[in-house]
Structures are given as structure tokens and as C-alpha cells.
Amino acid sequence: MLAAGCTDGAADSAPASQRPVTPSPEQSSPQARPSPVPSVHSEGRTRVLEYGDLVVRATPESSGVRTEIEVTNTHERDATYSVQISIADGEGWTAHNRFWLQDVPPGETGRDAAVIGSEDMGPPPRVPKIYVDEFTPVVDRE
């Protein structure tokens, strides 16, 4: 499906009845936002996952993987976020952590960081794989 305002050659050349239906801004509501598409890239040794309003950075260290998260509050009220992240190497090394970003004001970005994993688990992944196990916003009602 195409996002509003975007086109591609196939959509332009398709008969009107075969074009994907794209809701107009008046038909869309914040609850009906399309699911974000994850994007992963590297910044030096750091792997970066961008997933909608969430950005996760994972940097290997000797004792685990330093994991930093940022969440931008796109709601109209303060929001608290429960975010569970897993870091893995794809070969058996897996560790996870839950982050709580409390009372993030509208339009602001909440941040937190932790080292995920430990020396007892063996060497951390050189190229960490990042998984978002849970991303739950809780928006204030008043």
C-alpha cells in the first residue's frame, strides 16, 4: 500500500480500479496509523534500529551490549512507554531488558540506556541484532 502523497510508476500506470486505496488525511486517525517499517543501519560499531517513534542503538562492549533507546511522544498528552528490547547474535547469545520512559511530554523525546548482557554470557555479538519485543505507550487521560 502507498502512503498518502507517495506514488510509484506501477500505481500511476494501473487502472483506477486496481490502484491501492490510500486514505485521505480526513479519513485517517492517529489510531489508524500504518504500522512502522523498521530500518537498520550502522554508525561505526553501533547498530541502529529506527522503528516509527522508537530509535534503538546497540554498541558492543566487553561486558555486554550498550543499548540506548529514544522514544518521541507524538501524542497530545504525556505518555509513559514500556519498551522491551532483545539483543542477539543469531547463534545463541541473547539478552533482553525492559525500559520505562515515564511522563514524556508531547513533542519531547524520552531517553534511557543500559548494558544488556554480561561477561558470564560469553563475548557479546560483534554485530548485534536488535529486536523490539514490546513497545507499549500509555497516554495520560487528563
Side-chain angles (χ1 to χ4, degrees):
M1 177 181 288
L2 296 174
C6 295
T7 63
D8 67 12
D12 288 341
S13 63
S17 63
Q18 294 179 0
R19 289 186 184 172
V21 177
T22 303
S24 68
E26 296 80 23
Q27 295 171 322
S28 297
S29 67
Q31 293 81 15
R33 289 190 337 187
S35 295
V37 176
S39 167
V40 179
H41 64 276
S42 293
E43 295 175 356
R45 293 181 333 124
T46 301
R47 294 292 288 169
V48 180
L49 168 70
E50 295 179 23
Y51 185 71
D53 303 329
L54 172 67
V55 177
V56 182
R57 289 180 170 77
T59 307
E61 295 184 346
S62 60
S63 60
V65 178
R66 178 166 179 74
T67 307
E68 303 169 8
I69 69 165
E70 298 178 355
V71 178
T72 301
N73 181 358
T74 58
H75 301 281
E76 295 178 3
R77 300 188 185 277
D78 285 3
T80 296
Y81 296 88
S82 171
V83 183
Q84 183 168 313
I85 302 294
S86 291
I87 304 294
D89 65 359
E91 298 174 13
W93 192 102
T94 303
H96 64 271
N97 192 50
R98 179 175 305 279
F99 297 88
W100 286 94
L101 301 174
Q102 295 184 320
D103 301 321
V104 179
E108 298 291 322
T109 300
R111 294 174 174 81
D112 199 0
V115 174
I116 297 180
S118 66
E119 291 180 11
D120 321 358
M121 296 176 65
R126 297 172 99 195
V127 180
K129 296 182 185 312
I130 303 168
Y131 299 93
V132 176
D133 301 322
E134 178 188 331
F135 178 65
T136 306
V138 179
V139 180
D140 288 349
R141 292 183 181 223
E142 294 184 26

